[in-house]
Amino acid sequence: MCVTAFPVLARIVKEKQLFRTRVGVTTLSTAAWADVGAWTLLALSISLISGGSKLNILWTFICLIVYAIFMFGPVRWFLRKMLVKHGRPREITPTLFAILIVATLASSWITAYVGLHSIFGAFIFGIILPRDGGFCVHLAEKFEDFVTAFFLPLYFTASGLRTQLGLLDNGNTWGLLLLLVSVAIITKVGSGFVAARVT
């Protein structure tokens, strides 16, 4: 219930210039793995609620494991050979940028096709990119304007259009909504408070 809003956290870390610090790397790494855990549980929950058989759920997770092994093995090796020469990253040309966007979308499509959320594919592709010479930082800077101008408005529009307030048509659903929102707020504020006090 208190999973980090990863894009918001990444934006804060970037604006505070913490990308290359130990705190920034630890924060983003922890949040990323927490997101993976949350999305995995969500995918499992949706499969169970939608009446998916246990065999289908098992097949989905086997596909994810095989895909992750493939991406972390040969694909990661290939990207390193292609994007890093003599320890220095290649310049991000418009052609290379377009290839990386298409590869990210393709990876997202594959995980969506096997029955998981598309964010898994994008996340895996992002992890396997080489970090040498700040390659990922330069790539993120190029992505930022495109994402902010194009994808962010689409995301909020799609979220708004999918919201159906008409489904809150009785006291039980309103009570459940208030309970979930309260638990989410208390756990988020509480976990941040406890972590701050401990450290």
Side-chain angles (χ1 to χ4, degrees):
M1 290 302 295
C2 61
V3 67
T4 304
F6 188 77
V8 177
L9 178 64
R11 185 76 184 188
I12 292 168
V13 168
K14 184 181 185 304
E15 286 183 1
K16 297 291 183 183
Q17 302 297 315
L18 297 172
F19 255 132
R20 296 178 182 170
T21 66
R22 184 177 170 193
V23 170
V25 170
T26 303
T27 302
L28 287 175
S29 301
T30 305
W33 286 111
D35 259 25
V36 167
W39 282 107
T40 303
L41 290 173
L42 180 62
L44 180 61
S45 302
I46 289 170
S47 298
L48 291 171
I49 289 169
S50 61
S53 71
K54 291 178 181 175
L55 196 59
N56 285 346
I57 295 168
L58 180 62
W59 171 250
T60 297
F61 282 97
I62 288 172
C63 288
L64 177 64
I65 290 167
V66 169
Y67 184 63
I69 291 170
F70 174 68
M71 292 296 281
F72 279 93
V75 175
R76 187 177 192 178
W77 175 84
F78 174 76
L79 285 173
R80 185 159 186 77
K81 288 286 185 189
M82 187 180 93
L83 299 175
V84 179
K85 301 291 182 187
H86 310 296
R88 297 175 63 89
R90 283 183 57 178
E91 180 188 351
I92 303 173
T93 62
T95 303
L96 179 59
F97 183 64
I99 290 169
L100 292 174
I101 288 176
V102 170
T104 304
L105 294 174
S107 184
S108 296
W109 178 83
I110 289 169
T111 53
Y113 182 76
V114 299
L116 290 168
H117 198 282
S118 55
I119 198 169
F120 277 115
F123 180 73
I124 290 172
F125 189 77
I127 287 178
I128 65 171
L129 287 172
R131 301 286 186 265
D132 308 65
F135 177 81
C136 285
V137 174
H138 297 310
L139 184 62
E141 288 169 352
K142 285 193 172 288
F143 262 110
E144 185 179 15
D145 292 338
F146 179 62
V147 168
T148 304
F150 184 72
F151 283 122
L152 201 60
L154 281 179
Y155 169 75
F156 285 114
T157 302
S159 298
L161 290 173
R162 280 200 307 265
T163 302
Q164 298 179 36
L165 294 177
L167 295 176
L168 300 170
D169 56 356
N170 59 53
N172 287 339
T173 52
W174 275 103
L176 187 58
L177 173 68
L178 291 174
L179 175 65
L180 287 172
V181 170
S182 300
V183 170
I185 292 170
I186 290 167
T187 53
K188 207 174 253 282
V189 173
S191 60
F193 173 78
V194 170
R197 295 296 297 174
V198 168
T199 56

